[in-house]
Amino acid sequence: MFSEVASSSPLLRNLNPEQLAAVTLPNTHALILAGAGSGKTRVLTTRIAWLLQTGQVSPGGILAVTFTNKAAKEMMVRLSSMLPVNVRGMWIGTFHGLCNRFLRAHYKLANLPSTFQILDTQDQLSAIKRLCKQFNIDDERFPPKQLMWFIAGCKEDGQRAKDVVVRDEETRKKAEIYALYEEQCQREGVVDFGELMLRSYELLRDNAPVREHYQRRFRHILIDEFQDTNKLQYAWIKMLAGQGDAAAAGTHAMPGGSVVAVGDDDQSIYAFRGARVGNMADFVREFDVQQQIKLERNYRSFGNILDSANELISHNSKRLGKNLRTEAGPGEPVRVFEATSDFAEAQWFVDEVRQLVRDGTERKEIALLYRSNAQSRVMETALFNNAIPYRVYGGLRFFERAEIKHALAYLRLMDNPHDDTSFMRIVNFPPRGIGMRSIEQLQDVARAAGCSLHDAVSAVSGKAGTNLGAFVAKLDVLREQTPGLSLREIIELVLQHSGLEEHYKLDKEGQDRLENLGELVNAAESFVSLEGFGRDAVALPIDELGVALRQSPASQGLDPSAPLGNELLPELLAPNQETGETLSPLAAFLTHAALESGDNQAQAGQDAVQLMTVHSSKGLEFDCVFISGLEDGIFPHENSLSDAGGIEEERRLMYVAITRARKRLYLTHSQTRMLHGQTRYNLKSRFFDELPEAALKWITPKNRGFAQAYGGNSGTWGASNSGAGGARGDWAAAAFASRKPVGETFANPVVPPQRNAPAHGLKTGMEVFHAKFGEGRVMMLEGSGDDARAQINFTRHGVKWLALSVAKLTVV
DNA sequence: GTCTATCAGAGGGTC
DNA sequence: TCTGATAGAC
């Protein structure tokens, strides 16, 4: 039926049969299992374009959900390059962005103030800390962080405080705190990320007209990275698709649209934050999905890399089953390198990068992946010392910086004086002589009166002096001055009169912060509407280059080459569907700041080596990938070793890491590693045993020169950092001799000069076997004769000191 | 009220 | 080793 379109539309050129089938699926529920590098984003965007082009749906009937702003943006950029369409009319965005849009439109029904503001994770934590203090909650028994996880976890499961199943005293107390937290947020007019989702869901669930309106509207619902959805997000989708509880209860047949879910169970790496891979199977069952398409053809990596990924992931038990294949040929073998220390690993990495660059590889095509952020340090030092440009992903993002948060807090109080979190952040910043005592007093008054801190000031200032009064008066004056001012003017006004600017000017280390505040003004400036807010205006944030994007209303939807702005804002700024109100530029900007924490990639675009955790590498690809620190306890991470689910998630993580590489993949591990200020002795990762030997090539020391170059005691760093003193050198070399043979590479092992070899014949670094504790590695030796003791790091039982006269050890 | 010292804790992190 | 949070000293 669509074959004519299929053959004639340029959209569908160059799609493989599976991709084509996915793109041109009829209007029905479907699950697309999209392997890494199989063209998932392309399929999603092409399907939307195809639906529009063939007239099956208007832009308003599309709902496309992603997890990150980046993915949403990419989808829109690609879409607009495919056909001239007003992407603004479509609901394309992140779960939270779309929920925000929804709640802004129906804030009254959702029982929120029109100016409700969004708490990010930092704000949420400080709100909880404040709550705990106020109610004298023992923070030893209930650490605020843990409470935050509890509350977020409840919301992810769709549970309000009253829904929490109380089995013990601790849970009862936590649920109680959760209830108090809910009250506090409601009173202050703020919502956290979980609340955006939960409140949207509840409004859909409880309000039939609203629910039916959206069910009728969204004919096509597309979900990206479906394996990462949590319980609540899935329930939200069900509700919008007319498959929710209310529909099941069945008043009428619900007229919901079709859901196309795209995901890869093998890339599910976010269980720790509530993701439920099980949603994929539930979806198939509950939506009675008849159409399942597997995209297994990989366009990214060579054969050896894919073989490694396939073989590794085949060790997982619960899989939907999928194998990547390529027509690109085997390519180079996967290179494996064993270093003696983390320093040596870093030095070797640097040398290898140099060689790659000499051979013509761009630095930005080289990625170093690690399991946890702490591992980046030693690598950064090496890169820095060797003057190799690099860029680290992660860390503080623009809108999370302290000075930016401070400025935003002032701005938020302009819109919503009852936002106590913001109030607390800046009540004494810059310092204005308001200390703990006055604040505590103020909090008491506020609690007694059931009002915000702002409103409590007038009651207190009479007796507590004028500092607080002056502060609030200043806020109020600023607020009175803002009407009629542009967003830029408001921010500049606030920066000056809050004293922030002055404060950082006087601070000798405040220069960077001052510059960031300047950037905030720029960001606002670029964000601002060009032709008057609220009517037919379009507000646009800055694009990646920081250049203001301009788009006149006339060009909307007509010019596919027109630059794209933010997906969430235009509709935010349109008049409210119920009241006709519009969001102020300031409120819109604050929303933008909360939902998009901004870039943390300062030097984007530079040709630099890319450093990041495996988690943040998801969705990216590079010509050359180094996966470092492949040691048991590091990767897989030690916290995951105890349960089977944990190790399977680690394996998926490794799978993600491997499949980032296009041409060349390196796997490295080190015998010793500095962690928490101590030298740790790690066995190589168990994942090595799950990779196909035929695809691997073990790179190893060929001569003494190598050992010296990468041994612990050479070079300017390493020796000075050696906590174990001379042991490091011994260890390093001894280890080479004791490794199990891995091909010709160890044919010529480096044998270290031994100092006074003891009678028991053990050396540090040897692998030994103990009848009870199993395999382990000698870390340290002490004493002699009957007093001789050895510290052994056992794979399964951790580090133990054993008396050699008693313990039965055999050398492996 | 602010500054400095000491101590605990340290996985992954979007919105 | 390093960071952040808090307690006690100025």
Side-chain angles (χ1 to χ4, degrees):
Chain A
M1 153 185 179
F2 292 118
S3 60
E4 198 178 319
V5 178
S7 55
S8 63
S9 172
L11 276 181
L12 306 179
R13 263 181 227 145
N14 302 323
L15 293 174
N16 70 35
E18 293 79 27
Q19 290 175 330
L20 183 66
V23 165
T24 59
L25 276 167
N27 187 359
T28 176
H29 303 313
L31 176 67
I32 300 172
L33 274 175
S38 63
K40 176 196 65 162
T41 311
R42 181 167 179 220
V43 164
L44 263 176
T45 48
T46 311
R47 173 160 176 84
I48 297 175
W50 179 80
L51 287 170
L52 293 169
Q53 198 183 51
T54 53
Q56 298 180 64
V57 69
S58 64
I62 297 274
L63 174 68
V65 198
T66 63
F67 272 84
T68 63
N69 286 303
K70 197 177 155 201
K73 201 176 221 170
E74 187 184 345
M75 204 182 273
M76 298 218 291
V77 168
R78 287 214 203 180
L79 198 51
S80 64
S81 75
M82 286 183 197
L83 77 170
V85 62
N86 180 3
V87 287
R88 300 175 186 293
M90 287 182 272
W91 279 46
I92 298 183
T94 62
F95 277 102
H96 295 88
L98 296 172
C99 284
N100 175 59
R101 182 191 279 199
F102 175 77
L103 291 177
R104 296 280 170 197
H106 306 287
Y107 71 90
K108 275 192 179 145
L109 292 173
N111 190 24
L112 286 168
S114 65
T115 56
F116 77 83
Q117 283 166 354
I118 301 166
L119 297 184
D120 66 15
T121 316
Q122 284 178 40
D123 299 330
Q124 195 187 359
L125 186 62
S126 60
I128 290 172
K129 282 182 180 165
R130 187 154 46 81
L131 185 84
C132 288
K133 263 210 180 113
Q134 211 168 90
F135 290 92
N136 287 317
I137 289 151
D138 179 4
D139 57 0
E140 299 262 300
R141 268 183 66 203
F142 301 101
K145 265 223 179 89
Q146 202 189 307
L147 290 169
M148 185 169 82
W149 280 94
F150 175 80
I151 292 169
C154 287
K155 291 189 180 183
E156 277 157 8
D157 283 348
Q159 289 185 323
R160 287 293 176 191
K162 60 176 168 49
D163 306 321
V164 175
V165 181
V166 174
R167 284 206 198 80
D168 50 65
E169 177 56 23
E170 188 180 310
T171 315
R172 193 193 60 75
K173 186 73 182 167
K174 279 185 185 168
E176 196 184 307
I177 298 168
Y178 177 15
L180 291 170
Y181 171 77
E182 279 184 357
E183 274 172 39
Q184 176 179 286
C185 288
Q186 185 65 31
R187 192 171 55 242
E188 296 175 11
V190 294
V191 297
D192 59 38
F193 288 128
E195 189 69 26
L196 281 173
M197 277 305 314
L198 184 51
R199 198 123 359 167
S200 302
Y201 167 75
E202 288 171 342
L203 178 51
L204 286 171
R205 184 193 60 195
D206 301 338
N207 189 311
V210 169
R211 178 176 66 244
E212 284 160 14
H213 167 80
Y214 284 97
Q215 284 173 348
R216 269 193 303 275
R217 171 175 174 172
F218 295 126
R219 305 316 304 155
H220 289 273
I221 300 174
L222 302 97
I223 320 287
D224 193 15
E225 306 278 14
F226 192 72
Q227 77 282 353
D228 288 338
T229 51
N230 62 36
K231 199 175 162 190
L232 178 59
Q233 285 159 341
Y234 178 53
W236 182 85
I237 293 162
K238 279 205 286 189
M239 203 57 84
L240 281 171
Q243 301 275 331
D245 307 338
T251 42
H252 323 284
M254 288 296 166
S258 67
V259 177
V260 172
V262 183
D264 180 359
D265 54 324
D266 291 333
Q267 292 190 68
S268 159
I269 56 174
Y270 285 111
F272 71 92
R273 66 176 195 216
R276 268 188 89 242
V277 210
N279 284 349
M280 297 182 86
D282 288 358
F283 171 61
V284 171
R285 196 181 62 249
E286 294 173 0
F287 282 70
D288 188 25
V289 171
Q290 300 297 318
Q291 297 275 353
Q292 286 197 49
I293 296 173
K294 287 184 188 178
L295 304 179
E296 298 178 294
R297 181 158 157 195
N298 177 290
Y299 293 91
R300 181 185 295 160
S301 316
F302 281 103
N304 281 324
I305 294 169
L306 289 189
D307 288 349
S308 301
N310 284 330
E311 176 88 20
L312 178 94
I313 203 66
S314 72
H315 287 80
N316 268 6
S317 56
K318 294 166 216 136
R319 295 182 64 216
L320 297 176
K322 185 172 50 48
N323 236 358
L324 294 176
R325 57 172 199 279
T326 179
E327 287 165 17
E332 302 175 9
V334 174
R335 293 162 164 81
V336 183
F337 178 74
E338 174 179 46
T340 54
S341 70
D342 47 348
F343 298 97
E345 186 187 33
Q347 189 55 50
W348 176 80
F349 167 65
V350 162
D351 291 349
E352 200 66 26
V353 166
R354 280 204 170 127
Q355 188 59 48
L356 284 167
V357 171
R358 267 200 295 276
D359 293 346
T361 306
E362 285 182 287
R363 277 187 289 267
K364 64 178 159 58
E365 283 303 334
I366 301 173
L368 174 73
L369 310 186
Y370 35 81
R371 176 63 180 81
S372 57
N373 283 308
Q375 288 167 249
S376 77
R377 189 176 209 91
V378 67
M379 295 294 189
E380 285 187 66
T381 313
L383 288 165
F384 183 84
N385 288 343
N386 289 275
I388 297 175
Y390 67 92
R391 175 176 147 207
V392 187
Y393 281 61
L396 265 196
R397 286 159 334 153
F398 183 71
F399 287 113
E400 292 169 352
R401 292 171 185 280
E403 63 276 18
I404 300 300
K405 294 282 288 182
H406 282 133
L408 291 173
Y410 279 99
L411 293 168
R412 286 163 73 133
L413 288 171
M414 297 297 101
D415 250 27
N416 175 10
H418 309 302
D419 179 352
D420 285 355
T421 300
S422 295
F423 188 96
M424 286 291 287
R425 177 179 274 276
I426 50 162
V427 64
N428 197 33
F429 194 94
R432 50 173 69 86
I434 300 171
M436 281 308 295
R437 282 185 80 108
S438 0
I439 291 170
E440 274 168 18
Q441 261 181 323
L442 185 67
Q443 285 177 319
D444 288 342
V445 173
R447 192 177 343 146
C451 67
S452 64
L453 294 172
H454 174 273
D455 289 353
V457 167
S458 51
V460 157
S461 57
K463 45 187 175 181
T466 56
N467 281 349
L468 266 175
F471 169 63
V472 168
K474 181 176 268 176
L475 288 180
D476 291 340
V477 167
L478 282 172
R479 190 175 309 107
E480 282 158 23
Q481 289 176 322
T482 54
L485 295 187
S486 71
L487 182 55
R488 181 199 181 103
E489 288 164 337
I490 293 174
I491 296 179
E492 283 176 341
L493 183 80
V494 162
L495 290 181
Q496 279 166 27
H497 293 276
S498 64
L500 280 177
E501 223 166 60
E502 183 73 9
H503 175 81
Y504 288 124
K505 261 182 200 154
L506 295 175
D507 184 352
K508 58 181 184 295
E509 281 157 21
Q511 200 49 43
D512 284 351
R513 294 181 187 274
L514 214 50
E515 278 171 27
N516 283 330
L517 289 176
E519 272 308 304
L520 182 66
V521 177
N522 287 339
E525 180 77 353
S526 328
F527 173 83
V528 130
S529 129
L530 298 164
E531 350 242 330
F533 256 88
R535 284 187 291 276
D536 50 359
V538 180
L540 296 166
I542 51 178
D543 72 0
E544 287 157 6
L545 300 170
V547 178
L549 298 172
R550 289 171 175 256
Q551 184 178 19
S552 69
S555 73
Q556 272 185 68
L558 298 174
D559 178 9
S561 66
L564 276 161
N566 184 286
E567 68 278 20
L568 308 173
L569 291 151
E571 194 152 324
L572 280 184
L573 297 166
N576 184 285
Q577 292 174 21
E578 292 162 15
T579 64
E581 291 167 273
T582 59
L583 212 53
S584 75
L586 177 57
F589 183 62
L590 291 172
T591 294
H592 167 69
L595 287 175
E596 280 201 57
S597 343
D599 249 320
N600 46 16
Q601 299 149 28
Q603 332 89 322
Q606 238 190 28
D607 186 24
V609 177
Q610 314 281 305
L611 272 64
M612 67 193 82
T613 62
V614 180
H615 279 96
S616 47
S617 76
K618 191 168 164 214
L620 305 177
E621 55 181 89
F622 308 90
D623 283 344
C624 297
V625 169
F626 292 77
I627 309 175
S628 66
L630 281 165
E631 295 137 38
D632 258 29
I634 303 287
F635 196 177
H637 194 275
E638 54 191 347
N639 295 3
S640 72
L641 294 178
S642 46
D643 68 304
I647 196 76
E648 295 217 345
E649 178 143 322
E650 294 289 307
R651 197 174 280 118
R652 290 193 293 270
L653 198 48
M654 180 71 184
Y655 175 81
V656 167
I658 292 173
T659 52
R660 297 310 96 198
R662 291 195 198 102
K663 298 178 185 162
R664 188 180 279 200
L665 175 64
Y666 294 89
L667 309 177
T668 74
H669 68 105
S670 171
Q671 295 156 351
T672 70
R673 182 173 299 278
M674 286 289 257
L675 198 67
H676 307 328
Q678 278 189 320
T679 305
R680 296 226 324 204
Y681 299 75
N682 297 317
L683 296 172
K684 73 179 198 295
S685 172
R686 61 191 68 188
F687 293 149
F688 280 112
D689 302 331
E690 302 174 359
L691 297 173
E693 195 64 37
L696 306 183
K697 177 183 171 191
W698 297 73
I699 308 175
T700 37
K702 287 273 195 286
N703 54 48
R704 182 167 288 273
F706 184 96
Q708 278 166 356
Y710 297 111
N713 281 342
S714 62
T716 49
W717 49 313
S720 61
N721 282 287
S722 169
R728 181 180 279 265
D730 286 353
W731 155 257
F736 277 113
S738 70
R739 298 303 297 173
K740 70 178 177 191
V742 281
E744 84 288 349
T745 50
F746 276 111
N748 189 12
V750 182
V751 181
Q754 282 300 308
R755 294 191 278 257
N756 51 26
H760 49 67
L762 289 181
K763 293 172 206 150
T764 48
M766 278 185 164
E767 281 183 24
V768 294
F769 185 81
H770 184 277
K772 188 165 168 207
F773 301 132
E775 257 183 50
R777 193 194 284 278
V778 181
M779 293 165 65
M780 239 184 267
L781 292 163
E782 230 182 53
S784 59
D786 283 351
D787 293 333
R789 305 195 310 145
Q791 190 185 35
I792 319 275
N793 183 9
F794 290 103
T795 315
R796 312 280 171 221
H797 292 87
V799 178
K800 296 187 185 305
W801 277 102
L802 301 176
L804 294 176
S805 55
V806 180
K808 300 269 186 298
L809 289 172
T810 45
V811 177
V812 178

